[in-house]
């Protein structure tokens, strides 16, 4: 895969999710506050994009079991399972790694 294509996909994904949201536990939607491209430690996923997402404040979710990253249009572009206990109203920062595959 050409590096230029990976850069194009990365920039497109970044633009689509910066106005999006994170769906928590399939029931609470929280707007994205900030998104940046990051590096990631998964060696076997060289053709991938790592995004670090920070949400707006979360008030009423004591335990987070799954997260879905959505675009402004509501399309789910990444998801992950987790088990995170939240004590107070806080911001959430989470990383998603999206693998880019060539199509035929």
């Amino acid at each position: 895969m050409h590096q230029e294509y990976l850069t194009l996909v990365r920039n497109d994904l970044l633009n689509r999710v910066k106005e999006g949201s994170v769906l928590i536990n399939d029931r609470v939607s929280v707007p994205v506050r900030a998104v940046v491209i990051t590096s990631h430690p998964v060696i076997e996923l060289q053709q991938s994009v790592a995004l670090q997402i920070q949400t707006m404040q979360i008030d009423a979710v004591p335990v987070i079991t799954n997260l879905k990253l959505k675009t402004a249009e509501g399309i789910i572009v990444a998801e992950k399972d987790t088990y995170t206990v939240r004590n107070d109203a806080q911001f959430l920062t989470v990383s998603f790694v999206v693998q880019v595959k060539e199509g035929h």
Side-chain angles (χ1 to χ4, degrees):
M1 181 177 311
H2 295 286
Q3 184 61 40
E4 293 86 8
Y5 177 69
L6 189 58
T7 300
L8 178 71
V9 170
R10 179 196 70 200
N11 292 341
D12 183 59
L13 189 57
L14 183 66
N15 287 328
R16 289 178 188 269
V17 299
K18 68 182 175 184
E19 298 294 324
S21 61
V22 174
L23 183 61
I24 303 171
N25 298 342
D26 291 319
R27 61 180 175 82
V28 176
S29 185
V30 181
V32 168
R33 180 175 181 203
V35 57
V36 294
I37 301 291
T38 62
S39 60
H40 60 87
V42 184
I43 301 301
E44 58 271 5
L45 295 180
Q46 292 301 314
Q47 304 296 343
S48 61
V49 178
L51 300 172
Q52 186 176 64
I53 307 293
Q54 186 178 63
T55 67
M56 300 299 262
Q57 187 169 334
I58 301 169
D59 293 319
V61 182
V63 177
I64 298 172
T65 57
N66 66 55
L67 302 162
K68 295 179 181 172
L69 178 59
K70 297 170 68 173
T71 65
E73 295 79 23
I75 298 168
I76 297 171
V77 295
E79 58 186 290
K80 70 185 324 178
D81 292 327
T82 185
Y83 186 83
T84 305
V85 177
R86 314 283 300 169
N87 293 331
D88 297 317
Q90 299 176 22
F91 298 101
L92 176 67
T93 301
V94 64
S95 292
F96 290 93
V97 177
V98 180
Q99 189 172 14
V100 179
K101 295 184 178 183
E102 294 181 79
H104 296 282

